């Protein structure tokens, strides 16, 4: 492609649903949850094709980035206000890095894919589509189950390109109930992976006609702090993608998972040595008539007896025990801890 490509990796979150492994001073992107290397390090490997790579994070995490991504530039967002402001800020900061306007490929730092090379190829193709259309491109994952924890992208099937590689987005649907998720799966909708490609100009153009317009104005005036003060937290999907006119989806044709919950961690881990279908993150696990449990206790021995479908996570002096299908609700525990200033 003639335009340079910049990879922008989002690494500013904490990962509250992976408590107690993830804490306020130990975010999930720095943890080796599915191997010996951190999630951020593994993500950076998948962006090696880019002309430049940058990590977007908060100030309190900035000092640790180069331990996991020594080759990356570090962008520190003025305030943590979700992905919408973060990505607008990144576009503003990165737009003049080259004589020719670059294409930004933006992705979270906490995903799992089964084929890094195929994933990188799809990111490169998404960058080409962004350059060709001058629009906002999102990558969609073909659902394997009626998941209620993901948003969905409904493509306009009548407008797929001649190559069949991308289509206009008809609508976005936020996390649905199971019945609606089943309908979306059967209709050919995609999971919203939160992976995007666009030129800085295209994103800033659409952001000017969104709730993030005060931020764009302040950035153009050279006052990012004022811009962040002027807006409310908002995801890029809600603030921009759902309102924009030139939005396209292209399939991400690899096995993918968002490693945001203990249930997701369990899905990508191999079964334990007893063939009892328990998934463990380090540690020593003894299983007796127990199955489908996710155990994360790298410094402890855990014995499981006559229990199924549990999360058992022990880190430092903290222990979490919960039903596996309550993975999304771990954030409720964290909310209570934050009220006590104990997260």
């Amino acid at each position: 492609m003639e335009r340079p490509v910049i990879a922008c990796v989002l690494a500013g979150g904490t990962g509250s649903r992976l408590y107690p492994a993830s804490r306020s001073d130990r975010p999930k992107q720095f943890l080796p949850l599915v191997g010996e290397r951190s999630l951020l390090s593994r993500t950076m490997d998948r962006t090696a094709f880019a002309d430049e790579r940058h990590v977007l994070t908060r100030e309190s995490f900035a000092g640790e980035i180069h331990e996991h991504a020594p080759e990356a530039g570090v962008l520190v967002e003025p305030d943590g206000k979700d992905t919408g402001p973060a990505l607008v800020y990144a576009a503003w900061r990165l737009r003049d890095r080259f004589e020719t306007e670059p294409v930004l490929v933006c992705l979270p730092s906490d995903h799992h894919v089964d084929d890094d090379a195929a994933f990188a190829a799809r990111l490169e193709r998404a960058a080409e589509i962004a350059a060709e259309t001058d629009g906002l491109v999102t990558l969609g994952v073909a659902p394997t189950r009626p998941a209620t924890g993901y948003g969905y992208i409904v493509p306009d099937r009548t407008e797929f390109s001649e190559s069949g590689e991308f289509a206009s987005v008809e609508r976005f649907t936020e996390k649905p109930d199971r019945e609606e998720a089943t309908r979306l799966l059967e209709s050919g909708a995609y999971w919203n992976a939160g992976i995007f490609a666009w030129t800085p100009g295209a994103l800033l153009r659409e952001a000017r006609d969104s709730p993030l317009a005060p931020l764009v104005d302040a950035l153009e005036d050279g006052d990012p702090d004022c811009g962040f003060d002027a807006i409310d937290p908002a995801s890029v999907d809600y603030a921009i993608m759902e309102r924009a006119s030139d939005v396209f989806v292209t399939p991400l044709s690899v096995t993918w998972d968002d490693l945001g919950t203990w249930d997701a961690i369990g899905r990508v881990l191999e079964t334990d040595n007893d063939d009892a279908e328990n998934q463990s993150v380090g540690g020593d696990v003894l299983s007796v008539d127990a199955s489908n449990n996710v155990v994360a206790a790298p410094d402890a021995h855990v014995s499981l007896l006559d229990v199924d479908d549990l999360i058992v996570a022990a880190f430092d002096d903290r222990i979490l025990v919960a039903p596996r299908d309550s993975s999304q609700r771990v954030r409720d525990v964290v909310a209570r801890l934050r009220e006590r200033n104990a997260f």
Side-chain angles (χ1 to χ4, degrees), residues 253-323:
S253 50
V254 298
T255 299
W256 168 93
D257 217 321
D258 176 357
L259 299 181
T261 67
W262 288 118
D263 181 49
I265 296 293
R267 283 195 298 268
V268 303
L269 291 173
E270 294 182 356
T271 58
D272 67 12
N273 293 331
D274 293 330
D275 294 324
E277 297 184 352
N278 299 293
Q279 293 82 46
S280 62
V281 181
D284 181 20
V285 180
L286 172 65
S287 174
V288 180
D289 297 326
S291 65
N292 201 38
N293 300 289
V294 180
V295 183
D299 299 316
H301 169 85
V302 176
S303 296
L304 301 172
L305 172 63
D306 273 342
V307 292
D308 302 320
D309 307 310
L310 289 182
I311 301 163
V312 181
F315 289 80
D316 305 323
D317 61 343
R318 305 294 180 95
I319 300 173
L320 170 76
V321 180

Side-chain angles (χ1 to χ4, degrees), residues 81 130 142 161 186 192 203 214 242 286 289 304 310 316:
K81 290 199 169 182
S161 64
E186 293 172 349
N192 185 353
L203 182 66
E242 294 179 9
L286 172 65
D289 297 326
L304 301 172
L310 289 182
D316 305 323

Side-chain angles (χ1 to χ4, degrees), residues 128-303:
E128 292 172 349
I129 294 168
E132 292 168 11
T133 63
D134 194 31
L136 310 183
V137 178
T138 182
L139 285 88
V141 176
T144 58
R145 63 189 185 280
T148 59
Y150 298 149
Y152 287 74
I153 303 167
V154 179
D156 186 338
R157 293 287 176 180
T158 67
E159 291 188 11
F160 255 100
S161 64
E162 291 183 5
S163 65
E165 288 193 297
F166 66 95
S168 297
V169 172
E170 183 177 296
R171 62 184 171 90
F172 290 86
T173 298
E174 291 303 316
K175 300 173 182 178
D177 59 27
R178 185 162 296 276
E179 183 178 353
E180 177 62 14
T182 299
R183 283 197 296 266
L184 288 164
L185 186 154
E186 293 172 349
S187 72
Y190 296 106
W191 281 336
N192 185 353
I195 303 171
F196 308 101
W198 46 55
T199 64
L203 182 66
L204 293 170
R205 179 188 71 226
E206 297 291 354
R208 287 188 178 93
D209 191 25
S210 81
L212 301 183
L215 173 59
V216 179
D217 291 340
L219 291 173
E220 296 296 345
D221 291 337
D223 193 352
D225 290 330
C226 179
F228 273 78
D229 289 342
I231 57 170
D232 294 323
S235 70
V236 70
D237 297 286
Y238 171 76
I240 298 177
M241 301 296 285
E242 294 179 9
R243 307 164 191 266
S245 53
D246 296 318
V247 183
F248 304 92
V249 60
T250 187
L252 181 60
S253 50
V254 298
T255 299
W256 168 93
D257 217 321
D258 176 357
L259 299 181
T261 67
W262 288 118
D263 181 49
I265 296 293
R267 283 195 298 268
V268 303
L269 291 173
E270 294 182 356
T271 58
D272 67 12
N273 293 331
D274 293 330
D275 294 324
E277 297 184 352
N278 299 293
Q279 293 82 46
S280 62
V281 181
D284 181 20
V285 180
L286 172 65
S287 174
V288 180
D289 297 326
S291 65
N292 201 38
N293 300 289
V294 180
V295 183
D299 299 316
H301 169 85
V302 176
S303 296

